[in-house]
Amino acid sequence: GGSTKAERDAQIQQIIERQEAVEKNPDWNPICIYPEGTQSNGTALLPFKKGAFVSMKAVTPMVINYSWSGFSPTWDSMTFLGQAPLMYSFPGTYGCNVKILLDFLPNKYLLEKHRDKGKDDWEIFAWAVRDIMARTGQFGKNEQPLTDKFMYK
């Protein structure tokens, strides 16, 4: 993400414009957004950022479950280039299961019923998508802010 509020706002506006373009023209490829703003350790979902949700447009949640024996393929504490040699030098098997869920569009009922999940509509929408993804992927939910995660460098 951007480092200043103006950069973040410009990035969010680009996401909204792309979502609108995809809705209007099926020839446009949808964008893939990792709503946590980072990768996780594969066991829990962090709170979602607003980029994919602030427009209140439909999203297609995808859940990725990795399986491994040997060395974990998640990049929590080092870069891909630092971890790749380790991963490929350890014997083991690695797999990936991708589940594509149905399109999710927020509605009045969702926003009213779960008003306690956020102060803005996008927060409720993000909470609902995260909840479905956590249940589908059998993930926990970690409420720790991303900034706390980076403190473990």
Side-chain angles (χ1 to χ4, degrees), residues 15-35:
I15 292 169
I16 292 169
E17 289 170 6
R18 180 59 181 255
Q19 287 173 312
E20 291 171 352
V22 169
E23 280 185 353
K24 290 177 186 171
N25 185 347
D27 291 337
W28 278 76
N29 290 320
I31 56 175
C32 180
I33 298 173
Y34 293 86

Side-chain angles (χ1 to χ4, degrees), residues 127-152:
W127 169 85
V129 172
R130 181 175 175 235
D131 190 60
I132 290 168
M133 291 175 69
R135 290 178 197 208
T136 301
Q138 298 178 333
F139 297 118
K141 289 190 261 180
N142 184 341
E143 303 306 326
Q144 179 183 27
L146 181 59
T147 52
D148 288 353
K149 180 182 173 197
F150 288 137
M151 294 182 67
Y152 295 105

Side-chain angles (χ1 to χ4, degrees), residues 34 37-43 46 64 66 68 71-88 94-96 146 149-150 152:
Y34 293 86
T38 185
Q39 72 280 349
S40 71
N41 64 5
T43 63
L46 294 169
I64 303 172
Y66 293 99
W68 66 88
F71 193 80
S72 169
T74 58
W75 298 290
D76 240 28
S77 59
M78 63 176 70
T79 65
F80 171 76
L81 292 177
Q83 188 175 19
L86 292 171
M87 193 167 88
Y88 293 115
Y94 305 94
C96 179
L146 181 59
K149 180 182 173 197
F150 288 137
Y152 295 105

Side-chain angles (χ1 to χ4, degrees), residues 65-129:
N65 289 99
Y66 293 99
S67 60
W68 66 88
S69 65
F71 193 80
S72 169
T74 58
W75 298 290
D76 240 28
S77 59
M78 63 176 70
T79 65
F80 171 76
L81 292 177
Q83 188 175 19
L86 292 171
M87 193 167 88
Y88 293 115
S89 64
F90 278 86
T93 57
Y94 305 94
C96 179
N97 182 16
V98 178
K99 296 175 186 167
I100 301 173
L101 307 177
L102 297 175
D103 288 353
F104 193 107
L105 182 64
N107 58 44
K108 187 177 178 180
Y109 174 78
L110 169 80
L111 299 175
E112 289 174 3
K113 178 157 177 64
H114 299 289
R115 182 56 54 196
D116 62 321
K117 304 302 181 193
K119 60 183 180 198
D120 295 324
D121 288 351
W122 76 263
E123 292 174 307
I124 300 165
F125 182 24
W127 169 85
V129 172

Side-chain angles (χ1 to χ4, degrees), residues 1-14:
S3 58
T4 68
K5 181 172 179 356
E7 289 173 333
R8 288 189 300 273
D9 289 346
Q11 290 171 342
I12 288 172
Q13 187 58 41
Q14 288 176 335

